Amino acid sequence: MKIGNLTLEGTPLFLAPMEDVTYKSFRWMCKKYGADVMYTEFVSSEALVRDVKKSKQKMTLFDFDRPVAIQIYGHNIDSMVRAAQVAEELQPDFIDINFGCPMKKIIRHGAGAAMLRDLPKMQQMAAAIVKAVKVPVTAKTRLGWDSTDKPVLEAALRLQDAGIAALAIHGRTREQLYTGEADWTLIGEVKNHPQIEIPIIGNGDITGARKAKDLLEKTGVDALMIGRPAIGRPWIFREIKHFLQTEELLPAPTISEVVENVKEQMQLNLEWKDNERSAILMMRRHFAKYFPGLPNFRELKIRLLRAETNNEVTEILDEIVVKYGELTPDYSV
Ligand SMILES: Cc1cc2nc3c(=O)[nH]c(=O)nc-3n(C[C@H](O)[C@H](O)[C@H](O)COP(=O)(O)O)c2cc1C
């Protein structure tokens, strides 16, 4: 598939943008295990225009990331255009517009998924951004607002007219938030619509290699995007790639190997954050997901989630290796 002049071979795997998750250390882990395309966490156009330090930090890109997109969101077309221009200065491979975030603090102002209720404005915003920057512009959205209002096909046609270079679709409505199962039927209908020429990236609940292949075959999407299933399992990208090529399932890593990865991710956080505490806080969401299905693991997990220093974390991880080193995580739980 192509995003502007960027060519991606085979079925590329995208790491989904996730606030407070897809920062440097996690992107590194996913890239190491075969994720092809990265996004930053979403960045508020209003904050960017005001030059807020935290937003700028979120947009920092690294060589290992490439190809990588900066994702922006907002409700005001002028601010979004300005934000895209600021983002472009950091030389991302493309800029992505968030038309899918369901959170109240975002939709209250008419941004994110709220744009699905105003498709002419969505189109106008996308066209204005495409015109204002030289890098390709993509978008990410959902099926619609709720079960009675799923205008994703019209949105896709309008975004294509606006010059959007590719569209990622998460198979849920705004009303669903993250509940229920992602529905890929409409994603497939958009992909196979005779007027759709831009690449379509399918997203939602790709929880393993078999499912990835199945969804790919059913819908024919150009790329797969994976978010939550990669938390605590960055090797899911390698597993999916291997299965798509060989139809062979790779064995899960042993807990010893998992711990090596957790330590590496922790170390990257320590290097990148200037204080130990924030590095540890960033890890908690990941700690909780790295060890599914271990017998009698509760106490160690609670200790890991409460640890306050890197030394404490390391000690607990070493205990985990002693107790469970040869076992493998159980991703079916
Ligand atoms: C913690 C969290 C943060 C997210 N932040 C963003 C974001 O910044 N931008 C965005 O487009 N989607 C965001 N999403 C949605 C994901 O990109 C993705 O569409 C969704 O999780 C469904 O894919 P999955 O089933 O593979 O997780 C977020 C999801 C989660 C769980």
Side-chain angles (χ1 to χ4, degrees):
M1 71 179 268
K2 282 183 93 123
I3 300 181
N5 287 332
L6 175 72
T7 304
L8 300 161
E9 301 296 337
T11 302
L13 303 181
F14 287 50
L15 171 62
M18 288 183 283
E19 188 186 23
D20 286 333
V21 178
T22 51
Y23 33 66
K24 183 186 179 187
S25 59
F26 189 61
R27 298 208 300 267
W28 169 271
M29 300 307 293
C30 292
K31 192 78 189 192
K32 172 175 158 184
Y33 286 108
D36 295 295
V37 182
M38 307 271 138
Y39 295 74
T40 60
E41 304 167 68
F42 67 2
V43 179
S44 154
S45 57
E46 299 298 325
L48 256 190
V49 170
R50 291 196 310 269
D51 197 17
V52 174
K53 200 174 147 216
K54 200 173 162 206
S55 304
K56 286 229 159 162
Q57 201 192 21
K58 279 188 184 172
M59 296 199 305
T60 313
L61 305 176
F62 303 89
D63 283 343
F64 76 80
D65 276 325
R66 293 194 179 276
V68 60
I70 292 177
Q71 192 191 56
I72 56 174
Y73 73 91
H75 62 282
N76 179 294
I77 296 182
D78 291 340
S79 306
M80 283 292 276
V81 164
R82 184 73 200 110
Q85 289 166 334
V86 174
E88 188 179 31
E89 286 166 19
L90 299 165
Q91 302 180 338
D93 295 278
F94 59 100
I95 290 172
D96 187 68
I97 314 175
N98 179 312
F99 289 135
C101 181
M103 283 191 294
K104 279 216 177 85
K105 68 172 183 182
I106 309 292
I107 58 165
R108 191 174 57 217
H109 302 292
M115 285 286 181
L116 282 159
R117 298 177 105 183
D118 191 348
L119 299 186
K121 183 174 175 187
M122 179 193 267
Q123 181 172 0
Q124 214 188 332
M125 180 182 279
I129 294 172
V130 169
K131 199 166 148 220
V133 295
K134 292 194 185 67
V135 288
V137 180
T138 60
K140 177 166 177 283
T141 193
R142 289 185 174 233
L143 302 179
W145 186 255
D146 60 27
S147 58
T148 63
D149 178 21
K150 295 185 187 171
V152 66
L153 176 61
E154 185 185 339
L157 289 166
R158 282 176 175 271
L159 290 171
Q160 178 170 277
D161 279 352
I164 286 294
L167 177 66
I169 306 173
H170 173 194
R172 285 191 176 81
T173 61
R174 186 269 151 183
E175 186 188 55
Q176 284 179 294
L177 303 172
Y178 294 94
T179 62
E181 237 209 298
D183 175 5
W184 279 63
T185 326
L186 259 181
I187 300 179
E189 281 174 29
V190 173
K191 168 64 206 166
N192 296 304
H193 191 276
Q195 277 167 270
I196 290 287
E197 288 164 13
I198 53 171
I200 299 295
I201 304 154
N203 168 239
D205 297 344
I206 305 174
T207 47
R210 272 188 205 286
K211 192 156 175 196
K213 185 161 195 284
D214 186 45
L215 291 171
L216 189 61
E217 282 171 358
K218 279 196 179 125
T219 61
V221 288
D222 300 275
L224 298 171
M225 177 185 274
I226 297 142
R228 292 162 302 165
I231 305 176
R233 191 183 177 185
W235 35 86
I236 193 169
F237 295 99
R238 179 177 70 181
E239 293 169 350
I240 293 174
K241 272 200 170 152
H242 188 79
F243 191 73
L244 291 181
Q245 280 160 11
T246 64
E247 296 209 19
E248 240 174 57
L249 287 172
L250 282 176
T254 63
I255 294 299
S256 297
E257 289 163 338
V258 171
V259 165
E260 284 310 306
N261 281 283
V262 179
K263 284 185 177 170
E264 181 183 355
Q265 193 177 334
M266 178 77 200
Q267 192 53 41
L268 286 167
N269 280 344
L270 288 167
E271 281 166 24
W272 200 42
K273 284 272 148 190
D274 37 20
N275 74 78
E276 189 175 0
R277 187 157 169 77
S278 359
I280 288 176
L281 289 181
M282 283 163 84
M283 284 305 289
R284 287 194 177 154
R285 166 178 248 139
H286 301 269
F287 286 154
K289 298 279 183 186
Y290 265 116
F291 304 103
L294 293 186
N296 306 315
F297 187 64
R298 204 176 124 78
E299 193 216 313
L300 274 166
K301 179 166 164 179
I302 291 172
R303 277 176 55 206
L304 195 54
L305 292 176
R306 286 186 183 157
E308 297 277 347
T309 64
N310 186 36
N311 279 347
E312 247 182 286
V313 167
T314 309
E315 267 174 39
I316 299 164
L317 289 174
D318 290 341
E319 270 184 63
I320 293 176
V321 172
V322 170
K323 207 164 165 194
Y324 301 101
E326 301 303 311
L327 300 186
T328 51
D330 179 358
Y331 296 115
S332 65
V333 296

